Amino acid sequence: MQQDNNIILSYSYTNTVRGIAALIIIISHLLIHWNISRIFNLPASVAVSAFLFLSGYGINESYKKHGFKKFWIKKINKIIIPFYLYYTVLTLLRNNYDTNTFIHEITFTKNEFWYILIRSYLFYWISRKIFPQHTLIILTLFGIISLNIFKHIEAEQSFCFLLGVITSEKKGIIEQSPQNIKYYLIGGIIIGITFLLLKEIPTIHQYKGTLLYNYILVMIKFPLAIVIILMPYYFNILIKNKFIHICGIASLELYLVHLPISFNTDMTIGSITLFIIETTILTYIFYHINQIIKTCTTISK
C-alpha cells in the first residue's frame, strides 16, 4: 500500500492512471467489437470518466501555476493538431469519405468524446476569464445543463471534468488527510455498484434514453472512475510498471490509433498478435511525430 501522500495525484501518479484507463478502453473496445457482452461498455465509459476527471484536474493545476499563459497554444499542440493529423490520414485511407462527417469531426461538433473535452476547456477558459470568482458555479451549471439536455456519453460524463477541477481546488485537504482516501475508494465502489444494480432492474431499465436514466448513469460512471483513479495509491506496483507508464505517456496516441485497428481484429491469436504489433508501431510513430510538431510550434513561438 502506498502511504506517501506526496505521490497522490502527482504527474507520475496521474500518468499511471491514464495508462490504466487507456488499457481498459482498448480491451473493452475489442470485447465490444467481438460482441461478447454489452457489459464491457461499462469499463470503457468509466475509463473515459477517469480521463475527463484528470483533464479537469490537470487544467486547474496548470492554471494555478501558470495562469492562462499559452493556454490555447498548449491545447492546440497537445490535442487538436494530433487529432487533426490522425483524422485526416484516417479519412484519406478510408473508401467511404463523407464531407459532412469530416467537417463535424474537425470542428468537434459531432464527436462525442472530443466535443465534451474541447467544450469543457472552452467553458473553463470563459469562466476563469470572465467570472474568476465563480468558476465552479459556472462549471456546475454547465454540468447540469449537459446532464439535462444531452444523451449518452455527453450526459454521463457531464460532471467528471468539474469534479476534477474541484479536486484540484481541494487538493490540500486530500494531501493533509491521506487516511480518508480509503473512504473515497470504498464509497466509490458502494455507490457505483448500487446504482449499477439499480439500473439493471427491468422497471428502471425501460427508462433508458430518458433524463432519469442519465442521472443513474452519472451515479455509476463517476464513482467507479474514482476506483480507477485511486487504485495506484493502494497498488504501488502499478506506478512502477514501465509498460503502464509508457501507455500513460502516449495515451492520446494509443487511444486514437487502436480504434480503426480493433475493427479488423477477430478473436484468433494471430489477429490479436497483429493488433498488438500494429498498435504498438503506429502509436510509437504517431507519438514521435506529435513530439516533433510540438517542438517546432514551440520554437516558432
Side-chain angles (χ1 to χ4, degrees), residues 42 222 289:
L42 176 63
F222 181 72
I289 289 174

Side-chain angles (χ1 to χ4, degrees), residues 250-262:
S251 57
L252 171 65
E253 291 81 5
L254 192 58
Y255 176 85
L256 292 173
V257 163
H258 89 278
L259 280 171
I261 303 175
S262 65

Side-chain angles (χ1 to χ4, degrees), residues 12-41:
S12 178
Y13 186 97
T14 55
N15 184 68
T16 297
V17 177
R18 288 188 182 91
I20 294 171
L23 291 172
I24 291 174
I25 290 172
I26 291 171
I27 294 171
S28 297
H29 282 171
L30 284 173
L31 296 174
I32 293 169
H33 173 65
W34 295 337
N35 294 317
I36 293 179
S37 173
R38 69 180 180 85
I39 196 173
F40 292 109
N41 282 308

Side-chain angles (χ1 to χ4, degrees), residues 87 91 96-107 109:
Y87 194 72
T91 300
N96 56 338
Y97 172 77
D98 181 76
T99 303
N100 288 332
T101 300
F102 182 80
I103 292 174
H104 280 304
E105 291 284 352
I106 65 173
T107 56
T109 55

Side-chain angles (χ1 to χ4, degrees), residues 6 30 51 57 84 93 97 107 112 128 130 150 153 160 171 188 193 196 205 212 215 222 224 248 254 257 259 271 299:
N6 291 321
L30 284 173
F51 269 118
Y57 176 83
Y84 280 1
L93 293 175
Y97 172 77
T107 56
E112 290 183 331
R128 280 291 189 200
I130 303 177
F150 294 116
I153 195 170
C160 294
K171 184 179 179 181
I193 293 180
L196 176 62
H205 197 70
L212 172 62
Y215 279 87
F222 181 72
L224 293 182
L254 192 58
V257 163
L259 280 171
S271 183
I299 292 174

